[in-house]
Amino acid sequence: MILYISHSFFDYEAGNLCRLFFPYEKLKTVTDLNEAKDDNFIVKAFYNEETTTVSVIKDNTASEKIYKNDNNKDKEYNVTSAIYKSFCEFCSYYPSWGMLTGIHPVKLFIEHIDKFGKVEAERIFKEEYFVSEEKLSICRKIASVQKPSTDKLEDNDFSLYISIPFCPTRCSYCSFVSQSIEKHKKLIEPYVEALLMEIEETAGITKETGLRLVTAYMGGGTPTTLNAEQLKRVINKVKECFDMSFCREFTVEAGRPDTIDESKLLALKECGITRISINPQTLQDKVLENIGRKHTAQEVVDAFILARSLCFDNINMDLIAGLEGDTLETFIDTLDKVVKLNPENVTVHSLALKRSAFLFHDEDVKSYHQNKSLAEKMIDYSFIKLQESEYLPYYLYRQSRMIGNQENTGWAKINTECEYNIYTMDETHTVIACGAGGVSKIKDPYSNRLERIFNLKYPNEYLQRFNEMLERKKEVKVLYEQFRQWLH
Ligand code: SF4
């Protein structure tokens, strides 16, 4: 796919729009029209003072449309909205998030409310970004559910993320750095030892910086690939090194049921873990097999019942819409069964096919993945069912190449929201990460500035270049010194 824009500095946004409609096309942006001659898929946009003309030529179909510019808007908006409208007409497809391509639509919505007021923010979403009434309504609800959690934040609050990048096997759609323990079992113990050191160093840095821990989250991968004793060592290290007196919640992703047993759940309970996640993704055995899981739906249910019997009173369950082989009927069956179990939180993801996932290279799956209306129906059903069952949406984020251009939404029974998810997904405050693949996001509490500090990605390199990585982490203190200086 070749993209030519007469004002080429809008390439980035226009490129995102191309991916929204044609997620698997390889995109090349050109500044010379001669380079766009021979391709079988060419998009050209010409801007002048009055109008923007967009022409799309794909295989044997061609269309050319002229759109009148809005004089109150800048060139970027006029060009990108013209491309968006022309793609909608060309594909007869009107994405429910309109031309929004960013990861955090709710964050954008709240920023617009703060800047322009609620009525104008809603008008902009509907009329300028073409967001559907249904998606706007979910933004509205989430903004109001999040408010009590964001209102209580202090400038020096932060959240902690601990990464355990190991899983029993690799799921077919996985794009994380997670390593299967079939191949990397030997790395686990040295990894835990290094992680304990990083937690201690990080606690020292946050203390010197004057930060206050308010939520903690252990994710991955699947943290419960660690044994009970290793889990206890990691959690107790956090509790020993950080001041936990302001920490309101500590989540551990128990993730896959084939890693959960009574001894691990008891260890989590004993360490005071307040919330766990048991993630079926689907309760259809055939679909579980398709995605490379080595457990049954019944094992998920058994793990949930076991956790309840051990008094876990805040359990999340993750589901994915758009898994290979799942139909609307089987998705409905899964969600209904999950709701019957009555977990406090349900998170409904839309499958995102990333380049690093095995599935990305499977042409049959790609064509299934382009079944936008199926994904939309699944997500629509989850909205109806979960609202009927007294769940409120409390956070939402999007990724590129999501089936049907949908979203991931966290739902919670009243007052059981995971605040870590709110703070991290909408980048409300600083999140400091420990462990391989972790990314610390240092947020200036007085502005929108956000700086990232990357840990090493894979367990092997994490172990080999550990000291170098710790050095980088000291940047946290330097950044906060800058933020505070700028304020004065
Ligand atoms: S459980 Fe999650 S992190 Fe682990 S392989 Fe599957 S998708 Fe990846």
Side-chain angles (χ1 to χ4, degrees):
M1 176 179 192
I2 303 274
L3 173 67
Y4 168 85
I5 303 178
S6 61
H7 288 75
S8 55
F9 38 91
F10 308 135
D11 288 358
Y12 178 76
E13 232 352 271
N16 283 341
L17 287 175
C18 293
R19 278 183 280 275
L20 196 63
F21 288 85
F22 309 101
Y24 303 109
E25 290 287 340
K26 211 166 174 191
L27 178 69
K28 184 178 167 197
T29 311
V30 298
T31 48
D32 178 354
L33 265 178
N34 287 323
E35 288 183 65
K37 268 197 320 230
D38 302 323
D39 207 88
N40 59 356
F41 190 1
I42 303 167
V43 179
K44 291 184 265 185
F46 300 92
Y47 173 86
N48 65 42
E49 286 296 305
E50 300 292 315
T51 58
T52 301
T53 305
V54 181
S55 80
V56 182
I57 305 156
K58 188 171 192 300
D59 303 322
N60 298 320
T61 316
S63 104
E64 182 165 287
K65 301 269 171 189
I66 301 171
Y67 300 93
K68 198 169 175 331
N69 293 333
D70 178 344
N71 293 333
N72 298 318
K73 307 298 282 181
D74 60 13
K75 283 180 194 168
E76 177 169 7
Y77 177 81
N78 280 312
V79 170
T80 50
S81 63
I83 292 176
Y84 171 79
K85 286 185 251 180
S86 116
F87 282 166
C88 286
E89 289 175 48
F90 188 81
C91 303
S92 302
Y93 170 55
Y94 298 83
S96 45
W97 282 104
M99 60 185 280
L100 289 186
T101 56
I103 301 168
H104 307 289
V106 179
K107 183 182 172 197
L108 184 73
F109 182 61
I110 294 171
E111 281 169 6
H112 275 50
I113 293 178
D114 291 345
K115 215 164 156 188
F116 307 112
K118 194 160 178 278
V119 174
E120 181 61 1
E122 295 199 2
R123 189 201 63 77
I124 294 171
F125 261 53
K126 272 198 284 201
E127 292 175 16
E128 295 183 10
Y129 301 152
F130 314 107
V131 174
S132 71
E133 177 49 44
E134 189 205 18
K135 299 299 183 199
L136 180 59
S137 121
I138 196 133
C139 287
R140 223 181 267 135
K141 283 182 188 144
I142 293 177
S144 86
V145 174
Q146 287 187 348
K147 205 165 180 318
S149 298
T150 48
D151 279 355
K152 67 182 165 204
L153 281 178
E154 302 280 337
D155 292 347
N156 59 341
D157 286 352
F158 80 102
S159 292
L160 177 70
Y161 179 76
I162 310 279
S163 163
I164 307 293
F166 300 101
C167 286
T169 52
R170 192 167 165 87
C171 304
S172 57
Y173 55 83
C174 182
S175 60
F176 299 137
V177 294
S178 194
Q179 310 278 294
S180 86
I181 49 168
E182 283 162 348
K183 289 191 197 148
H184 297 94
K185 204 170 179 161
K186 277 204 290 215
L187 282 182
I188 294 184
E189 184 48 35
Y191 180 82
V192 168
E193 278 302 315
L195 183 60
L196 298 181
M197 273 195 274
E198 192 191 358
I199 291 170
E200 193 168 335
E201 288 290 328
T202 305
I205 294 168
T206 56
K207 228 174 260 169
E208 283 174 29
T209 312
L211 300 183
R212 188 173 91 152
L213 178 62
V214 291
T215 76
Y217 192 103
M218 196 195 287
T222 307
T224 38
T225 44
L226 303 189
N227 62 36
E229 185 267 335
Q230 288 164 331
L231 283 169
K232 274 200 221 171
R233 266 156 64 208
V234 175
I235 299 163
N236 286 335
K237 191 70 176 177
V238 172
K239 291 170 71 181
E240 176 192 309
C241 297
F242 288 90
D243 174 2
M244 300 299 282
S245 49
F246 297 97
C247 188
R248 300 189 279 271
E249 60 178 44
F250 198 147
T251 294
V252 173
E253 273 189 36
R256 294 165 53 156
D258 44 349
T259 63
I260 300 174
D261 62 30
E262 190 167 348
S263 69
K264 294 183 195 183
L265 289 177
L266 282 172
L268 299 181
K269 198 74 202 160
E270 198 184 305
C271 293
I273 292 307
T274 57
R275 177 178 179 270
I276 59 170
S277 221
I278 296 173
N279 299 330
Q281 315 304 7
T282 168
L283 287 177
Q284 310 300 317
D285 286 338
K286 183 74 194 101
V287 183
L288 282 169
E289 197 184 306
N290 288 347
I291 63 174
R293 292 283 181 107
K294 298 258 184 327
H295 62 80
T296 61
Q298 188 55 46
E299 284 174 76
V300 178
V301 176
D302 293 345
F304 182 89
I305 293 170
L306 178 64
R308 273 287 193 249
S309 73
L310 298 173
C311 300
F312 281 95
D313 58 6
N314 193 344
I315 304 179
N316 171 65
M317 298 188 100
D318 273 6
L319 297 179
I320 301 180
L323 290 174
E324 188 198 354
D326 214 6
T327 62
L328 181 60
E329 289 68 33
T330 52
F331 180 82
I332 289 174
D333 179 69
T334 294
L335 184 61
D336 289 357
K337 283 176 176 158
V338 164
V339 167
K340 223 170 173 185
L341 288 171
N342 202 23
E344 285 65 32
N345 299 175
V346 178
T347 311
V348 183
H349 297 259
S350 305
L351 184 68
L353 271 196
K354 300 285 177 139
R355 283 184 188 278
S356 53
F358 298 152
L359 274 186
F360 188 83
H361 308 283
D362 184 330
E363 290 305 320
D364 289 348
V365 173
K366 273 193 204 169
S367 56
Y368 172 79
H369 195 240
Q370 288 177 28
N371 190 345
K372 299 182 176 77
S373 68
L374 174 63
E376 274 182 25
K377 283 179 192 153
M378 289 172 170
I379 295 296
D380 285 352
Y381 179 74
S382 71
F383 275 41
I384 295 165
K385 180 72 188 178
L386 290 166
Q387 292 189 88
E388 257 175 31
S389 313
E390 295 176 354
Y391 290 89
L392 294 167
Y394 77 100
Y395 79 97
L396 177 153
Y397 67 102
R398 303 179 70 215
Q399 292 166 284
S400 58
R401 296 197 181 87
M402 291 188 101
I403 187 165
N405 288 319
Q406 296 292 307
E407 66 278 321
N408 301 326
T409 308
W411 298 81
K413 293 270 167 104
I414 197 153
N415 295 332
T416 66
E417 303 85 21
C418 171
E419 290 191 324
Y420 172 87
N421 283 332
I422 295 176
Y423 301 147
T424 189
M425 293 308 170
D426 281 347
E427 297 172 337
T428 323
H429 76 172
T430 288
V431 178
I432 298 186
C434 291
V439 181
S440 298
K441 292 182 182 169
I442 315 302
K443 170 89 197 304
D444 180 350
Y446 318 110
S447 78
N448 263 341
R449 186 175 160 201
L450 187 86
E451 296 289 336
R452 290 177 168 77
I453 302 173
F454 292 89
N455 273 13
L456 291 152
K457 227 172 168 186
Y458 297 99
N460 251 328
E461 51 174 356
Y462 175 82
L463 291 170
Q464 281 158 12
R465 294 166 56 195
F466 186 73
N467 290 333
E468 173 199 325
M469 192 192 67
L470 276 192
E471 255 331 284
R472 286 210 295 258
K473 218 157 194 188
K474 295 188 180 147
E475 192 59 20
V476 173
K477 191 176 167 206
V478 178
L479 284 167
Y480 266 89
E481 279 165 3
Q482 281 178 7
F483 299 156
R484 287 165 184 156
Q485 259 172 23
W486 290 338
L487 185 67
H488 295 113

